[in-house]
Amino acid sequence: LNVEEKRRQTEMCSKICKRILNRAVRNAWAQWMYCVEQSFGCTLEQVKALRDQNARLRRDNERFVRLVDSGEWGRGRVEELSEAGRLLRDERKQLEDLIRSIKDEKDGFVKDAELQAREARALKDRLVSGNFVQRNKLNVRGGSAFNSMQRVLKQDLIDSG
């Protein structure tokens, strides 16, 4: 029993040592990767993305070179396409400016609507408040404006026949 217990304890200790060693190796690897990223200024994911982009651009470039060299596209066609690219860039810039101006107009409309809502709320508060003197003044002003508008409309109807 004692020998069996000793063998089992030895196996458990070796498993624990392996775990600790693996953890130390992982930590060392992570630290080394961090040092490499700091020295190069970019991560492995960024390097992979740049390599993929470079490979894609290289394939596109080779394809365009084969097209131009095959004679299917003359130099004039290449110049037309580059001019079209410049035009598209200009149109994109104009569209961005248009979108920016539309957003600015929208923001202006929203601010105006908020201002009108605040003014209406203030007017409503003044009307509903317990200050009857203010309420009577507002009613008189509104009523006199309404009555004067009514008189002008009646006079206009009479004048027009």
Side-chain angles (χ1 to χ4, degrees):
L1 184 67
N2 200 6
V3 173
E4 188 66 33
E5 183 73 24
K6 194 171 193 177
R7 188 179 56 76
R8 192 174 61 78
Q9 284 181 352
T10 305
E11 286 176 6
M12 289 180 69
C13 285
S14 67
K15 285 182 183 179
I16 291 171
C17 287
K18 282 182 186 178
R19 263 190 261 143
I20 291 173
L21 181 64
N22 286 339
R23 184 178 305 139
V25 168
R26 278 194 311 270
N27 289 340
W29 175 257
Q31 189 63 34
W32 183 78
M33 289 298 295
Y34 176 76
C35 290
V36 168
E37 288 173 359
Q38 291 301 315
S39 66
F40 287 114
C42 61
T43 62
L44 276 178
E45 290 83 18
Q46 290 171 330
V47 170
K48 288 178 185 175
L50 288 173
R51 282 184 185 158
D52 292 342
Q53 183 182 9
N54 191 20
R56 183 178 48 81
L57 290 173
R58 189 178 309 266
R59 284 191 310 267
D60 289 347
N61 192 23
E62 289 171 358
R63 191 179 71 222
F64 288 137
V65 166
R66 280 194 308 270
L67 277 174
V68 170
D69 287 345
S70 69
E72 292 178 22
W73 284 6
R75 297 237 183 259
R77 179 73 175 144
V78 172
E79 290 173 7
E80 287 176 17
L81 287 175
S82 10
E83 179 65 26
R86 283 190 291 276
L87 289 174
L88 287 174
R89 272 193 302 274
D90 293 342
E91 286 180 6
R92 178 178 177 214
K93 184 180 176 191
Q94 290 173 354
L95 286 173
E96 287 172 349
D97 293 341
L98 180 65
I99 289 171
R100 194 175 308 112
S101 67
I102 289 173
K103 284 182 181 177
D104 292 344
E105 280 185 35
K106 178 189 163 233
D107 291 342
F109 289 139
V110 168
K111 286 179 184 175
D112 289 345
E114 289 173 355
L115 180 65
Q116 287 178 353
R118 269 186 273 143
E119 289 175 354
R121 203 173 313 114
L123 185 63
K124 182 182 127 198
D125 290 343
R126 284 176 53 193
L127 283 173
V128 176
S129 71
N131 190 350
F132 65 91
V133 175
Q134 280 287 357
R135 189 174 39 210
N136 286 344
K137 283 182 181 178
L138 286 172
N139 285 337
V140 168
R141 284 184 193 151
S144 64
F146 176 76
N147 290 338
S148 61
M149 187 185 309
Q150 207 173 15
R151 278 194 305 273
V152 168
L153 288 173
K154 282 180 183 177
Q155 188 63 38
D156 188 38
L157 286 173
I158 289 172
D159 291 343
S160 64

